[in-house]
């Protein structure tokens, strides 16, 4: 190993995709070392509140906690909603990720952290402070669509236009890239969380059944679709009867679930359409060649690529490993000098 490479190893720099649903951490020269839900469980005993669980362990408790426990998602729509809890969560994840770095633990790392393109200066400052309080020697911010595009291998440093659509838990970000920069970005506060909420309210309204967020998310992943094609195939779901208050199981068709998701899907389509309308013609011509690339967990919704392709007339593909694209892109920006200019000193 060259000395230069060893020196770089000594830094243990991190790239963090602090998402509404999931936090993904990339360790420089190693890759993704952590991907866990952005969830924290707090415990209050005798008026004193402490952190009981973070990440995977906390998500298992979602919707099931007794009175003295409280499960919190400290981010909403990609930005920090609960500063103290978010900081605690980031510290926990940074510590856990750095445990992978062995001897490199010595020096404080540089941290590149992603911000939604629609974040306000105040929201950006909160994200920067949280990273800095987690022990960063230096904090870089990177726009989420740019990170997603790099992570999805779009030709961002070439004179070639391309479009990325990142659909997360709390937001959808559309970015138009060209020659190392983002020529346009647009952020809509719509994503997977809203799909889950739509399923919860559909089931309550049409079946008199209360289900929790976690159940709705599972239904969405297993049986949801962006194609409202009236699929009559039925699945069984469990919850609490809204009238009698007892546990009950009902049957619901896949077509119904798709119908419940229609509103959210059309908001995503709108965002893509608006971005295309605002795209300069030369870049639009390139996008016609290259198509649209989707990233983020929401891009995995069955049929969403098909619907976007149908509406825009463009080729649409889901990136490889869509849940990790943003973290991988931010990590590459730390590693590769070609991409360095996309990091903003914070
Ligand atoms: N197979 C799937 N089908 C549909 N949705 C899915 C699937 N897998 C994951 N999701 C959804 O993707 C969302 C999480 O995606 P992701 O981790 O990219 O979001 P995030 O980065 O945390 O959020 P944001 O970018 O909005 O801050 C969740 O709503 C999750 O339910
Ligand atoms: Mg995201």
């Amino acid at each position: 190993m060259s000395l230069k490479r060893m020196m770089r190893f000594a830094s243990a720099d991190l790239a963090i995709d602090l998402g509404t649903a999931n936090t993904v951490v990339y360790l420089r020269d190693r890759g993704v070392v952590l991907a866990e839900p952005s969830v924290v469980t707090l415990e209050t005993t005798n008026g004193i509140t402490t952190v009981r669980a973070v990440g995977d362990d906390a998500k298992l408790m979602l919707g099931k906690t007794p009175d003295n426990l409280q499960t919190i998602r400290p981010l909403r729509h990609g930005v920090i909603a609960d500063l103290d809890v978010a900081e605690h969560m980031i510290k926990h994840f940074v510590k856990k990720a750095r445990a992978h770095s062995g001897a490199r633990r010595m020096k404080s790392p540089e941290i590149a952290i992603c911000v939604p393109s629609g974040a306000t200066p105040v929201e950006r400052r909160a994200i920067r402070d949280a990273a800095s309080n987690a022990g960063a020697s230096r904090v870089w911010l990177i726009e989420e669509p740019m990170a997603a595009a790099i992570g999805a291998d779009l030709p961002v440093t070439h004179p070639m236009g391309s479009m990325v659509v990142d659909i997360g838990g709390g937001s959808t970000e559309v970015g138009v890239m060209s020659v190392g920069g983002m020529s346009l970005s647009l952020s809509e506060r719509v994503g997977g969380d809203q799909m889950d909420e739509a399923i919860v309210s559909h089931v309550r309204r049409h079946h008199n059944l209360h289900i929790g967020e976690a159940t709705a998310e599972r239904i969405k992943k297993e049986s949801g679709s962006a194609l409202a094609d009236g699929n009559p195939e039925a699945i069984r779901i469990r919850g609490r009867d809204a009238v009698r208050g007892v546990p009950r199981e009902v049957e619901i068709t896949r077509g119904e679930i798709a119908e419940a998701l229609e509103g959210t899907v059309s908001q995503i389509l709108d965002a893509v359409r608006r971005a295309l309308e605002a795209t300069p013609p030369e870049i639009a011509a390139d996008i016609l060649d290259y198509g649209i690339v989707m990233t983020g967990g929401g891009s995995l919704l069955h049929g969403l690529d098909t619907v976007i392709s149908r509406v825009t007339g463009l080729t649409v593909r889901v990136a490889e490993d869509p849940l990790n694209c943003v973290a991988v892109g931010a990590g590459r920006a730390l590693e590769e000098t070609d991409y360095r200019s996309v990091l903003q000193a914070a």
Side-chain angles (χ1 to χ4, degrees):
M1 194 186 290
S2 72
L3 183 64
K4 191 165 159 234
R5 197 165 161 79
M6 276 170 64
M7 293 291 287
R8 276 211 282 128
F9 256 93
S11 65
D13 298 333
L14 300 170
I16 304 176
D17 171 14
L18 184 62
T20 308
N22 299 296
T23 298
V24 183
V25 184
Y26 183 106
L27 180 61
R28 184 173 181 156
D29 299 314
R30 282 284 289 276
V32 170
V33 291
L34 180 147
E36 294 194 38
S38 305
V39 182
V40 176
T41 304
L42 299 178
E43 177 167 15
T44 306
T45 314
N46 301 326
I48 297 165
T49 302
T50 51
V51 172
R52 168 77 177 267
V54 181
D56 285 323
D57 299 337
K59 191 172 184 186
L60 288 175
M61 301 181 190
L62 203 64
K64 293 185 185 175
T65 47
D67 281 353
N68 65 325
L69 295 186
Q70 194 192 0
T71 306
I72 293 184
R73 294 179 51 189
L75 281 102
R76 281 288 150 193
H77 304 300
V79 297
I80 295 176
D82 188 323
L83 199 58
D84 286 347
V85 176
E87 282 198 8
H88 201 98
M89 184 179 82
I90 296 170
K91 272 185 200 156
H92 174 94
F93 287 147
V94 165
K95 196 166 156 209
K96 202 165 169 183
R98 294 189 79 208
H100 289 267
S101 64
R104 288 175 282 174
R105 236 170 296 173
M106 310 306 286
K107 194 174 152 233
S108 352
E110 290 189 15
I111 295 183
I113 190 156
C114 304
V115 284
S117 55
T120 64
V122 173
E123 290 164 343
R124 283 165 196 264
R125 208 170 310 132
I127 290 172
R128 180 204 62 200
D129 290 350
S132 161
N133 292 340
S137 61
R138 179 154 198 195
V139 181
W140 302 95
L141 296 184
I142 176 168
E143 303 283 328
E144 245 161 49
M146 178 51 87
I150 296 172
D153 272 330
L154 293 188
V156 299
T157 55
H158 301 255
M160 163 83 175
S162 59
M163 178 179 275
V164 67
V165 179
D166 179 63
I167 305 165
S171 68
T172 293
E173 309 249 333
V174 187
V176 175
M177 316 294 150
S178 180
V179 214
M182 201 152 47
S183 90
L184 172 79
S185 72
L186 183 152
S187 161
E188 193 68 46
R189 301 201 154 190
V190 60
D193 287 345
Q194 196 175 315
M195 296 181 198
D196 302 346
E197 285 159 22
I199 293 174
V200 169
S201 74
H202 174 94
V203 171
R204 195 177 48 230
R205 239 181 296 131
H206 297 268
H207 298 274
N208 269 323
L209 190 76
H210 281 307
I211 58 169
E213 267 177 66
T215 301
E217 185 184 23
R218 203 173 55 240
I219 295 169
K220 170 186 71 180
K221 288 188 190 172
E222 290 171 4
S223 315
S225 176
L227 303 163
D229 53 6
N231 188 337
E233 194 189 326
I235 58 154
R236 293 174 166 282
I237 62 179
R238 287 173 181 192
R240 195 186 70 217
D241 190 287
V243 182
R244 293 183 299 139
V246 295
R248 187 161 66 95
E249 188 176 75
V250 303
E251 277 201 350
I252 171 169
T253 68
R254 284 176 186 261
E256 250 185 283
I257 301 166
E259 215 177 284
L261 298 176
E262 251 175 343
T264 311
V265 169
S266 80
Q267 272 180 272
I268 293 170
L269 284 172
D270 262 1
V272 175
R273 221 185 274 123
R274 275 190 289 123
L276 284 169
E277 276 165 16
T279 301
E282 294 297 328
I283 299 180
D286 287 345
I287 295 173
L288 193 57
D289 279 334
Y290 200 86
I292 296 175
V293 175
M294 290 204 288
T295 62
S299 70
L300 292 169
L301 178 70
H302 174 263
L304 191 52
D305 48 352
T306 309
V307 171
I308 295 179
S309 173
R310 211 179 271 164
V311 167
T312 60
L314 297 166
T315 318
V316 178
R317 71 178 171 87
V318 177
E320 211 176 289
D321 208 3
L323 286 151
N324 289 345
C325 276
V326 169
V328 168
R332 279 196 199 150
L334 277 174
E335 288 168 359
E336 295 173 33
T337 45
D338 274 4
Y339 295 129
R340 200 75 200 188
S341 64
V342 306
L343 297 176
Q344 303 154 20

